[in-house]
Amino acid sequence: MLTIHAAERVRRTWDSASLEGGAVAVEGGRVAAVGPLAELAERFPGARVRCWPGVLGPARVHEGPLPDAPTPREQVHAVLKLGAVAVLAEYAGSRELRAAAERNDVAVLERARPAALVDLGRADLAVLDDDGACIATVCAGRLVHRRR
């Protein structure tokens, strides 16, 4: 199933210029294409379209200690709610925390890396409002957080 995530603005990196009325086509866990919504809708007829307010871009890397929570699963979920789909290994030291990250497709990285939306890259997306708060998180193609 192919899903098109559309937003008021799309950025391939958080430092790049915005594409007004842009979208990201996601097939499985990969980015199929990035471009204007009209073009992607024509290129992928029958795709499910999710429209988001705000800015859609690459998901974040959580670079500090994971939020406090009663269980490792809840710690990982708290990170996803921030728009992050990766954590640094130095903050994910316990076996339980790494297992919870793996079950949720959250990457454990040795060092931070630049986040970018690239064709055929892993479909890790975050939608942010004007204040930078996370509206939605897509991890490896799956919608894992949506602010109500």
Side-chain angles (χ1 to χ4, degrees), residues 16-85:
S16 67
S18 294
L19 171 62
E20 300 295 320
V24 178
V26 173
E27 186 165 26
R30 299 283 171 191
V31 173
V34 179
L37 173 58
E39 286 180 20
L40 295 185
E42 184 176 315
R43 183 172 162 193
F44 303 104
R48 177 181 186 174
V49 177
R50 287 186 178 269
C51 295
W52 303 104
V55 181
L56 186 151
R60 299 168 169 169
V61 174
H62 189 77
E63 296 186 30
L66 276 64
D68 286 331
T71 67
R73 182 190 68 78
E74 290 170 294
Q75 285 183 285
V76 168
H77 184 69
V79 167
L80 293 169
K81 288 172 61 174
L82 297 172
V85 298

Side-chain angles (χ1 to χ4, degrees), residues 42-136:
E42 184 176 315
R43 183 172 162 193
F44 303 104
R48 177 181 186 174
V49 177
R50 287 186 178 269
C51 295
W52 303 104
V55 181
L56 186 151
R60 299 168 169 169
V61 174
H62 189 77
E63 296 186 30
L66 276 64
D68 286 331
T71 67
R73 182 190 68 78
E74 290 170 294
Q75 285 183 285
V76 168
H77 184 69
V79 167
L80 293 169
K81 288 172 61 174
L82 297 172
V85 298
V87 298
L88 296 181
E90 67 184 282
Y91 300 111
S94 77
R95 185 179 66 225
E96 295 83 6
L97 192 52
R98 285 180 182 252
E102 185 177 325
R103 279 191 305 275
N104 288 281
D105 290 323
V106 171
V108 178
L109 307 174
E110 292 302 318
R111 59 182 163 65
R113 59 166 165 69
L117 297 177
V118 295
D119 291 354
L120 302 178
R122 190 170 122 145
D124 293 334
L125 316 173
V127 183
L128 308 179
D129 67 15
D130 291 335
D131 296 325
C134 183
I135 296 170

